[in-house]
């Protein structure tokens, strides 16, 4: 790589580090392996230092809300990043080796979806905040000692996904096709906001999430995941019988303009019917006014 393009890479790295320091302003949230790393790179870019500076290496401590755990994300930026892959590794004292391995596999494959030249540390952090909870779920069940050999356990997962809106015909088709192709049940509520619920075995739900989310759906997040260990086929755990599109009336008389808000009262009734009323507050941050309380 020529020194000119190397300098372009280092300028992008400095830019990304400045973004990270503004996102994590508290002392100790971003710990550089070498406290002079950025100064040395700036001196190299200005031409006052001739030797290539050491790589930027740092650890960011992320506080995950649900469950309340910390993840240390270790990051190394090769000199040619973002044109070559970033080296990332997430660690948590709350994960066993297998879970940590799976978490990092998920993170690496997500980072692999970025094009060369795209900065991706902030996206990796967002991915961990959105997705890591499913790797921590149900750890207690795995550790209950038992005298007899354990039957094979599967994880049944239900994900509640929130998007600012879902209108586009091709996106709606993609969601429905993924729901029908994979062995999952649930619904996709189109409109504003857009809500998707998907339930089934963990690997099917995760594949569904990956399929609809990539390559470029930015404003979407998994707000809540419910996970249950089962030895059966999971059919008795399903709250929905198929994967369907849910079309509710919009509030007001907007027709199909792009600013219509879904009738949340109707949506709450729908959730009650499917024993999922508790999710309403998680999705919208409002208590559901239940008549029987």
């Amino acid at each position: 790589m020529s020194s000119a393009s190397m300098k372009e890479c280092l300028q992008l790295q400095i830019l990304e580090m400045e973004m990270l320091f503004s996102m994590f302003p508290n002392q100790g949230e971003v710990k550089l392996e070498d406290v002079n790393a950025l100064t040395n790179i700036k001196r190299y870019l200005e031409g006052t230092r001739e030797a290539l500076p050491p790589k930027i290496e740092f650890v960011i401590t992320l506080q995950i809300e649900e469950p309340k755990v910390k993840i240390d994300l270790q990051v190394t930026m090769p000199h040619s990043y973002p044109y070559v892959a970033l080296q990332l590794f997430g660690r948590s004292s709350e994960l066993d080796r297998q879970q940590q391995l799976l978490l990092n596999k998920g993170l690496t494959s997500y980072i692999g979806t970025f094009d060369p030249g795209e900065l991706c540390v902030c996206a990796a952090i967002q991915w961990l905040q959105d997705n890591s909870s499913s790797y921590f779920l149900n750890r207690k069940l795995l550790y209950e000692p038992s005298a007899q050999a354990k039957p094979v356990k599967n994880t049944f997962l239900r994900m509640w996904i929130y998007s600012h809106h879902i209108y586009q015909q091709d996106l709606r088709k993609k969601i429905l096709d993924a729901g029908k192709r994979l062995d999952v049940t649930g619904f996709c509520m189109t409109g504003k906001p857009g809500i998707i619920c998907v339930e089934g075995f963990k690997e099917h739900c995760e594949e569904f999430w990956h399929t609809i989310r990539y390559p470029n759906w930015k404003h979407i997040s998994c707000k809540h995941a419910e996970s249950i260990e089962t030895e059966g086929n999971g059919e008795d755990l399903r709250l929905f019988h198929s994967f369907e599109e849910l079309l509710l009336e919009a509030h007001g008389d907007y027709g199909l303009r792009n600013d219509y808000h879904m009738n949340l009262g109707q949506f709450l009734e729908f959730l009650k019917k499917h024993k999922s009323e508790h999710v309403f507050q998680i999705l919208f941050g409002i208590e559901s006014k239940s008549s029987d309380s």
Side-chain angles (χ1 to χ4, degrees):
M1 185 178 251
S2 70
S3 63
S5 46
M6 174 73 73
K7 284 188 168 175
E8 185 206 340
C9 291
L10 295 175
Q11 275 162 342
L12 287 169
Q13 292 180 24
I14 292 278
L15 184 73
E16 188 161 42
M17 291 309 295
E18 284 166 357
M19 282 181 348
L20 288 172
F21 283 118
S22 65
M23 281 166 66
F24 296 92
N26 299 331
Q27 186 70 38
E29 285 182 304
V30 180
K31 292 186 280 287
L32 284 162
E33 291 285 323
D34 171 3
V35 287
N36 300 317
L38 305 188
T39 315
N40 286 335
I41 288 180
K42 284 173 183 166
R43 284 171 53 206
Y44 176 77
L45 291 171
E46 287 156 6
T48 51
R49 174 196 165 108
E50 287 186 12
L52 195 60
K55 287 186 270 201
I56 301 177
E57 294 186 74
F58 58 94
V59 175
I60 295 185
T61 301
L62 303 176
Q63 181 66 57
I64 306 298
E65 285 309 308
E66 184 56 46
K68 278 245 180 293
V69 289
K70 284 197 167 94
I71 295 180
D72 283 335
L73 177 64
Q74 201 171 344
V75 182
T76 302
M77 293 179 166
H79 287 131
S80 312
Y81 165 77
Y83 291 94
V84 301
L86 194 62
Q87 290 156 14
L88 291 170
F89 195 79
R91 283 195 169 78
S92 172
S93 56
E94 300 289 319
L95 290 171
D96 64 27
R97 267 184 60 186
Q98 182 61 17
Q99 289 166 313
Q100 196 157 278
L101 197 73
L102 290 169
L103 175 77
N104 282 293
K105 204 172 151 192
L107 179 59
T108 309
S109 73
Y110 168 55
I111 292 302
T113 63
F114 282 73
D115 292 331
E118 276 190 278
L119 295 170
C120 53
V121 179
C122 297
I125 290 168
Q126 188 62 52
W127 186 92
L128 283 169
Q129 285 169 335
D130 289 347
N131 299 282
S132 58
S133 63
S134 63
Y135 296 90
F136 289 94
L137 287 166
N138 265 351
R139 297 181 64 239
K140 289 187 188 63
L141 289 173
L142 301 172
Y143 295 112
E144 284 173 2
S146 137
Q148 65 269 64
K150 290 191 177 70
V152 176
K153 283 204 167 109
N154 289 306
T155 303
F156 184 85
L157 187 62
R158 186 174 302 111
M159 298 171 82
W160 295 90
I161 296 165
Y162 181 97
S163 168
H164 179 258
H165 61 263
I166 301 175
Y167 299 119
Q168 286 169 292
Q169 206 55 50
D170 53 348
L171 179 60
R172 288 159 65 179
K173 183 176 182 320
K174 183 177 178 179
I175 294 168
L176 279 175
D177 289 349
K180 300 264 197 289
R181 177 173 61 84
L182 296 158
D183 185 19
V184 294
T185 48
F187 66 87
C188 167
M189 176 173 93
T190 53
K192 178 178 177 180
I195 306 289
I196 301 168
C197 172
V198 59
E199 56 176 13
F201 283 141
K202 185 167 180 274
E203 50 274 24
H204 294 147
C205 290
E206 285 173 350
E207 188 178 340
F208 173 89
W209 174 230
H210 194 275
T211 305
I212 64 165
R213 184 160 187 194
Y214 304 119
N216 52 11
W217 193 353
K218 300 277 190 287
H219 303 290
I220 179 177
S221 62
C222 178
K223 282 274 178 119
H224 183 54
E226 297 158 341
S227 162
I228 306 154
E229 295 284 314
T230 175
E231 288 158 18
N233 59 7
E235 290 309 310
D236 53 327
L237 300 171
R238 292 186 191 265
L239 298 178
F240 301 93
H241 299 302
S242 56
F243 190 88
E244 301 295 341
E245 188 166 55
L246 175 64
L247 293 163
L248 299 178
E249 294 165 22
H251 257 315
D253 185 22
Y254 297 121
L256 279 177
R257 277 191 9 227
N258 267 11
D259 54 0
Y260 69 102
H261 281 266
M262 297 318 296
N263 185 326
L264 296 185
Q266 273 191 359
F267 182 53
L268 177 57
E269 287 310 311
F270 171 79
L271 289 178
K272 282 182 184 171
K273 236 183 252 168
H274 292 279
K275 304 192 184 71
S276 299
E277 189 186 334
H278 63 286
V279 178
F280 192 82
Q281 188 191 354
I282 298 170
L283 292 170
F284 304 108
I286 345 172
E287 291 285 356
S288 59
K289 298 277 181 280
S290 181
S291 49
D292 51 22
S293 58

